[in-house]
Every structure is written in C-alpha cells, then in structure tokens.
Amino acid sequence: MPMVLLEADVKIPERKKHVYIKQPGEDTKQFLPASNITTIPGSLSERGCSYCGAKLVIGGVLKDTIQIIHGPVGCSYNTWHTKRYPSDTDNFQIKYAWSTDMKESNVVFGGEGRLKKSMLEAFAAFPDKKRMMVYTTCATALIGDDIKAIAKEVEDELGDVDIFCIECPGFAGVSQSRGHHVFNIDWVNRKVGTVEPEITSEYTINVIGDYNIQGDAYVLQRYMDEIGVQVIAHFTGNGTYDACRSMHRAKLSITNCARSAGYIANELQKQYGIPRMDVDTWGFDYVKESLRKVGAFFNIEDRVEALIERETTLYQPKLDGYKEKLAGKKVAIWTGGPRLWHWTKALEDDLGMKVVAMSSKFGHQEDFEKVISRGSVGTVYIDDGNELEFFEVIDMVKPDVIFTGPRVGELVKKVHVPYINGHAYHNGPYMGFEGAVNMARDLYNAINSKMFKLAKRDISKGV
Amino acid sequence: MEEKVDAVYGFVMERCLWQFFSRNWDREANIKNIMGNVAKLQSAQEADRATNQTNAYYADAKILTEQLSKKFPWFVSLSLEEISTIRDQVIDRLMDVAVVHSLNAERTEINY
C-alpha cells in the first residue's frame, strides 16, 4: 500500500500522490510524496504565504531591526505576534509592528511616497534603531513599487542606517517556503560580508535555523559559551542584523532547520568555504550527538563531555520519569516540515512514544526523504494536509496527542484530541537537555488534561 | 558481511542527515568523505583535517564511528578488509538511495 487516496479526497484524486503509508521493506526510492508544489484546488490547505515565510519565520525574529511591511495593515498584523520568539532587547521585535497601511488610493496612485514617509517616521520614532527590513506584499508588488530605490533614498538621507529589502510577495511561491528561500539567498548575496565581527575565540560558528522559540537560542548560546565557542551569528533567533552580516567569518555553520535556512548554509559553504554541519538540537540524545560533533570539529571534546555529564545528571532522571508515563502513547506531528524528522526518532527513542502520523505544510521532498527514513512503518506521511484528511487520519490512527499549530489545533480541539503548539510550544524552550524535559512535560500534561475529558461531555444530554 | 552492511546502512539512514543534503554534489561529497573517514578511524588511520571542510567530514565521521562501535560490538574488531568492504557497500547503497535513484526532483537543480 504505497501512496494512498483517503476517502476525504475522492473528489480530488490528485491528493493521492501526497499521502503515503510506509510498509516494511519500502524506501524513498520507491515512494516519495509530492511536495512543494501548488495546492490542489478544492483542498483546504493550512499553508501560509511566501511573504509570511520571509517575515514571520526569519526576518521578524531579529531583535534590533524595524520591520516595515509595505502593504495593507493585515499583512503586518497577521505576521506579528503569532510566534513566541523572545529576545534580550526587551522583546522589541514582538512589541512593535509596522505597516504602510496601504489603501485603495495608494494602490491606484502608487505607494512609494507613503513607504518613504513610513520609513522616516519609524526611524524617528525609534532613534536608537538603525537597521530596517522592508517587505513587499501582494498589493505593492503588483503595482510595482520600487522599494529598493526608496530604501536607497532613505539610506542616503539619514546616512547612518542600513536597510534590507525583501521582494517576496505572498503569491511568489506555493507556500511560506518560498519566503525562506528568497530571504536566505538575498541576505547572503547582499548583506553577508559587509560587517567584520570582533573575534573573541579561535572557535567560531554560525547557529543557523534556530529562531529562539521560547528561548531555544538562549539554551544553545549557554552551551556554546560554556565550551568556549563564539557564536558569530544566530540566524536568526535572538540575533542581530549586523551579526548576520558577519556570518562569513565563522569556521563552521551548524544547521538545525535545514528547510528554512539550509540555503544560506549551502551558500556560505560555496562562497566562503564554511562547512555546513546539520544537527538536531531537539531531542535528549540528539543534543549529545550534536554537541559532540562541535567538540570534535574544534578538538574540545573534554569541555563538551563535561557539559553533557552535568546536564545528563541533572535532566535524565526527569526525562526517565516522563518516559515511564508516556511510553506507548500515540502522537501525531503535523507541523511545517523539519520538525517531523527532528522529532520522530527523538519521541520514539527518548520517550518510548509511537509516532503514528506526520504531516508537513511546506516541506520539500528532501524533508520527506529524511522523515520516511527515520520514521516508522505503518506511519501516515502527508504533504500539505487538508482539514478533512486530518479528521480522517485521526479516526484511522487515534492519536493520544497531536503536535501542530493553532490553525489545525483549533480543528483537533473540536474532536477533543489534546494538541500542543508544535510551532511555538506550550512551555518551552524545547531545545537542549532541559528542553527535551519541557517537551515531555507538555506531552504528559496534554494527554492527561482533565479539560479535554470534560470537554467531551455533552451536558445537554447529561453524559 | 551482508548483515553488517545492512546494520551500518540502516543506522546511517535512521540517524544521519548528511546523505540528504540539498543537491546531488553535496550528498555525494558527504557520503564518500564521511564514510571514507569512518573506515579510516575504525582502523586507527588518520583522517584529513587540513581545511574546515575536511575537518567537518572528520567530525561527523568521528561521532558516527563512536556510535557504531557502541551499538554494534563487532564493529570495533572488523579487519581492514572487512571495514573496507562495509565502507564501499554502504557508500554504494547511500549513493543509490540519495543520489542515483532518489525521487527528489530538486536535488539536480544547479542553484541552491
């Protein structure tokens, strides 16, 4: 039973090439879901737009950068506060949202004047901020506003500011993945190499594809500080604009989210000879492996082992306590793409859980090669899943808990299946040793939540 | 020997990510260099660490060699001939699944 046509998809049989159930002896040479292609009309996709991928996922994370969204106000609002990525600059990037608030008259007569006015106003309102990103959206891309020309005017006029323009409107690709791509490639080609960092250690790395969700980057930074490795740039969790301009000076790039940021890691390797090393910074056992690779690269294994020993002593008993309670529980992972392959073996090996279904919104076939190789036989693998498919798969595999985002989460709540926000977490961080315990705790709490059991009761019928 | 090749190949496929980098040329370089270094390290030979890139292949290989030694007690006592056979056959299988017969349509695109 390779690719599967679910009952929900009878009217849209094209969906068959996106749904796979792994059988014994099969591998990705035989079956690989179609992915990163246009959503089929009639399928109620959960995807985001390409602009969202650039702004919400990558650029908007930077802690010192004004983010001007050149478009109607909704484009700004909807990519503002839906991710939980704090920073040590008093959460500047979460507190504020900026928009040119385009109206019909601006669309008719052009929005460049409005953009320039907004940019100058923003710099004036935040005089200590000298870095800005400007994003086109569907409306301003269609009318052809030249945001790079305006940015140049503002740079020339103010003299002490630097501006990065992201020309990736919502329609630029099939999902948010296109926004990741455009941001990565433009950044490395236009900004990397334009700032020289202060080097404080002979061991220098870039941490790529971590977005400081509920403090993930703080955990990784602490580990790197402890073993004496200088992080040149976090791309982009708790990161700064100028640090990301100086990524060319690292000796190694460790890459966690290869989907959203593998492009820049590849380009740093190609253009600057900085090797890309892919790591899993989620998962108790994976973290040990990832740290050991860094230790081996820099010949500092003793420091790494000391860190691992201390953290293991501290957190292994807690993890084991949750493992006893979670072993055998069934979990679905319905997130963006990479968390499928980062988490499936971690949940199975570290916690004894059974991953029964996985769905990716914007993953590419590369992600499915990874997840099908790591994932179990009998597990359902879906690309760009739609709502009716999710209902059907819930009936099919009966998960005890689901990792997903708020969109699908609201859906699964209606059928009283506990969900954990897989994109932004419930109570993270989830990375590192402590993160693995936090994740296990959230799983335990979700599965055993009395609220979900009470919600199933129909009080009108007294049951 | 076939069982041992299966074991090493299966472990790499479940555990590692480097065979599934973005493009064919990266995948091939990773597969050949990292598995080549695994064979060297298993037989107490020195790996090339002259550049940051070769040092990265070494680091991946070092951790994989330790993992294989811990998971499969027979791995540490393989002869030079045996580890060479395992290296070659695992490389062939990884190349087959990730490069030659991969269904991933993006891996041949010329740009990242």
Side-chain angles (χ1 to χ4, degrees):
Chain A
M1 185 172 54
M3 311 310 288
V4 178
L5 182 64
L6 296 171
E7 284 181 27
D9 296 331
V10 169
K11 299 288 186 188
I12 41 174
E14 300 95 325
R15 285 292 303 160
K16 182 176 179 180
K17 61 187 178 188
H18 298 267
V19 183
Y20 172 64
I21 299 178
K22 186 175 175 180
Q23 298 301 305
E26 291 181 355
D27 68 24
T28 53
K29 284 185 303 183
Q30 299 160 284
F31 305 107
L32 191 64
S35 50
N36 193 40
I37 59 175
T38 307
T39 296
I40 297 160
S43 184
L44 189 53
S45 175
E46 300 284 348
R47 282 172 161 173
C49 76
S50 298
Y51 146 74
C52 170
K55 197 277 176 181
L56 179 67
V57 175
I58 303 180
V61 185
L62 292 172
K63 62 185 177 183
D64 64 345
T65 305
I66 294 168
Q67 309 276 336
I68 294 254
I69 317 305
H70 188 33
V73 73
C75 297
S76 181
Y77 180 82
N78 288 313
T79 54
W80 169 35
H81 61 355
T82 54
K83 275 271 178 84
R84 302 171 187 169
Y85 32 61
S87 72
D88 56 15
T89 55
D90 199 23
N91 300 318
F92 172 75
Q93 77 289 358
I94 298 179
K95 279 183 177 174
Y96 301 103
W98 299 266
S99 171
T100 54
D101 191 20
M102 290 280 285
K103 294 289 191 291
E104 187 176 357
S105 62
N106 309 119
V107 172
V108 173
F109 297 108
E112 290 179 355
R114 193 175 181 86
L115 173 61
K116 184 172 180 182
K117 183 168 176 280
S118 300
M119 292 166 78
L120 292 170
E121 278 181 3
F123 276 126
F126 299 95
D128 61 326
K129 302 300 177 200
K130 302 295 182 188
R131 302 291 179 258
M132 176 181 282
M133 291 185 172
V134 183
Y135 301 79
T136 51
T137 59
C138 296
T140 51
L142 284 169
I143 63 173
D145 276 3
D146 188 348
I147 66 169
K148 282 182 181 161
I150 301 301
K152 180 75 169 55
E153 283 181 24
V154 173
E155 282 181 336
D156 290 346
E157 203 166 310
L158 297 182
D160 61 350
V161 302
D162 198 275
I163 301 168
F164 178 59
C165 298
I166 303 99
E167 295 187 283
C168 185
F171 57 76
V174 300
S175 74
Q176 51 268 66
S177 182
R178 182 64 180 162
H180 308 151
H181 193 175
V182 169
F183 191 108
N184 273 242
I185 298 299
D186 270 6
W187 185 265
V188 75
N189 286 337
R190 291 170 42 218
K191 293 299 177 186
V192 171
T194 59
V195 161
E196 288 301 321
E198 182 189 355
I199 301 296
T200 58
S201 167
E202 62 182 297
Y203 315 123
T204 51
I205 63 166
N206 296 313
V207 176
I208 292 178
D210 152 59
Y211 302 104
N212 200 32
I213 306 298
Q214 293 208 22
D216 282 344
Y218 300 154
V219 175
L220 301 180
Q221 180 67 51
R222 203 164 63 241
Y223 293 164
M224 292 303 114
D225 286 345
E226 183 169 336
I227 62 175
V229 172
Q230 179 187 0
V231 179
I232 297 291
H234 287 272
F235 186 88
T236 51
N238 195 39
T240 67
Y241 187 103
D242 280 4
C244 290
R245 294 165 76 187
S246 61
M247 296 175 85
H248 59 296
R249 289 302 180 201
K251 291 179 177 168
L252 175 69
S253 295
I254 58 168
T255 307
N256 184 66
C257 182
R259 178 72 285 120
S260 65
Y263 312 100
I264 197 166
N266 288 334
E267 288 292 338
L268 288 168
Q269 183 166 319
K270 187 174 82 176
Q271 296 184 31
Y272 297 99
I274 303 168
R276 164 183 163 176
M277 178 182 281
D278 283 18
V279 295
D280 296 277
T281 49
W282 287 291
F284 203 88
D285 201 42
Y286 278 145
V287 177
K288 292 181 187 174
E289 176 186 295
S290 302
L291 289 169
R292 283 179 172 137
K293 285 186 190 178
V294 174
F297 182 87
F298 289 119
N299 279 334
I300 51 171
E301 287 101 328
D302 51 341
R303 302 180 195 179
V304 168
E305 290 306 323
L307 186 157
I308 289 173
E309 187 178 346
R310 190 200 61 228
E311 294 287 301
T312 302
T313 304
L314 205 56
Y315 292 110
Q316 185 77 58
K318 294 175 183 172
L319 191 78
D320 290 345
Y322 285 115
K323 184 173 185 176
E324 275 181 31
K325 299 176 177 76
L326 292 170
K329 296 291 185 188
K330 293 190 288 185
V331 55
I333 309 171
W334 292 343
T335 51
R339 286 170 208 223
L340 279 58
W341 44 265
H342 280 301
W343 288 355
T344 182
K345 284 289 287 174
L347 292 171
E348 293 191 347
D349 292 351
D350 290 349
L351 295 173
M353 300 183 79
K354 173 74 180 159
V355 179
V356 289
M358 289 188 270
S359 175
S360 156
K361 282 184 193 174
F362 56 77
H364 295 207
Q365 288 185 303
E366 173 187 317
D367 298 282
F368 278 100
E369 287 180 297
K370 292 173 186 169
V371 72
I372 291 170
S373 298
R374 286 183 163 189
S376 295
V377 165
T379 297
V380 185
Y381 303 81
I382 303 180
D383 168 70
D384 187 18
N386 66 49
E387 291 205 0
L388 295 179
E389 289 171 352
F390 288 131
F391 282 128
E392 186 171 337
V393 171
I394 287 173
D395 283 343
M396 188 193 303
V397 300
K398 298 184 170 41
D400 295 296
V401 62
I402 298 174
F403 276 110
T404 189
R407 298 175 213 176
V408 184
E410 291 305 309
L411 182 154
V412 304
K413 273 201 287 192
K414 293 175 185 170
V415 289
H416 308 122
V417 179
Y419 99 92
I420 298 172
N421 187 333
H423 302 299
Y425 313 157
H426 278 187
N427 294 288
Y430 282 178
M431 284 188 182
F433 299 98
E434 66 196 78
V437 174
N438 291 339
M439 192 183 203
R441 180 207 56 217
D442 284 354
L443 282 162
Y444 173 79
N445 287 345
I447 291 170
N448 294 285
S449 165
K450 288 186 168 55
M451 286 179 64
F452 278 101
K453 293 180 178 66
L454 287 169
K456 286 181 185 173
R457 292 178 56 186
D458 184 345
I459 57 172
S460 70
K461 295 176 182 166
V463 291
Chain B
M1 186 54 68
E2 197 175 321
E3 282 179 7
K4 289 175 180 168
V5 171
D6 281 348
V8 173
Y9 171 77
F11 185 83
V12 169
M13 289 295 283
E14 271 196 1
R15 191 78 198 184
C16 300
L17 297 167
W18 39 259
Q19 71 273 31
F20 292 127
F21 267 33
S22 314
R23 299 291 180 261
N24 271 351
W25 57 87
D26 294 319
R27 293 178 175 205
E28 183 171 355
N30 285 347
I31 290 167
K32 291 181 175 173
N33 284 293
I34 294 170
M35 286 311 302
N37 280 345
V38 166
K40 284 182 182 172
L41 296 172
Q42 189 276 345
S43 52
Q45 299 174 59
E46 279 195 19
D48 176 11
R49 303 184 66 182
T51 67
N52 286 336
Q53 185 61 63
T54 57
N55 196 27
Y57 295 137
Y58 158 80
D60 263 314
K62 181 170 189 289
I63 304 312
L64 177 57
T65 305
E66 289 170 359
Q67 290 170 323
L68 291 169
S69 301
K70 190 174 173 185
K71 187 166 178 68
F72 307 117
W74 45 262
F75 187 82
V76 290
S77 53
L78 290 169
S79 68
L80 188 58
E81 187 181 348
E82 287 171 323
I83 189 64
S84 300
T85 302
I86 288 174
R87 174 198 61 205
D88 293 345
Q89 292 190 17
V90 170
I91 286 175
D92 285 348
R93 288 180 64 177
L94 290 172
M95 286 293 292
D96 185 52
V97 73
V99 179
V100 180
H101 291 111
S102 167
L103 299 176
N104 178 351
E106 282 186 335
R107 75 192 197 293
T108 55
E109 287 185 15
I110 57 169
N111 294 318
Y112 288 122

